[in-house]
Amino acid sequence: GQLVSRTGRYRWNAVLGPVVLTIGMLLLWRMGTGTTNAEAARNMVIAGIGIGSMMQVFVLSVQNAVTRSLLASATALTQFGRQMGARIGVPGLVGPS
């Protein structure tokens, strides 16, 4: 967030964020019963950096794409889409019990 605020550029966050998140998710996927707490923490930090660098940037890019009169609606729609993705994605990962 500070980097975007100081430079005014957010394209690199939108490009590198998914790459870092993918690396983090692959590391999380490869964890097993022998994974140490330090390795698990490292993997979660990498995934968190990836997702954290994307979340703010995607809201910012949506806000830059609409007129001022639609700013609140566009921001709310972004949050709604995020909530629906979590609502659909998490149960899909867990599967039937």
Side-chain angles (χ1 to χ4, degrees):
Q2 289 295 319
L3 185 64
V4 173
S5 294
R6 291 181 182 161
T7 64
R9 306 234 185 258
Y10 56 87
R11 180 177 291 176
W12 285 109
N13 282 25
V15 172
L16 293 177
V19 173
V20 174
L21 177 60
T22 301
I23 293 168
M25 295 305 287
L26 286 172
L27 289 170
L28 290 170
W29 174 64
R30 296 189 65 210
M31 288 184 356
T33 55
T35 303
T36 65
N37 287 342
E39 291 171 334
R42 178 204 60 200
N43 298 346
M44 287 187 280
V45 166
I46 292 171
I49 289 170
I51 202 163
S53 67
M54 292 184 320
M55 290 295 201
Q56 177 187 5
V57 170
F58 290 153
V59 172
L60 186 61
S61 62
V62 166
Q63 289 174 342
N64 284 333
V66 298
T67 62
R68 189 169 181 83
S69 63
L70 295 174
L71 192 61
S73 297
T75 304
L77 186 59
T78 302
Q79 183 62 26
F80 177 75
R82 203 176 277 171
Q83 291 287 332
M84 288 298 104
R87 174 63 80 181
I88 294 168
V90 171
L93 291 174
V94 174
S97 53

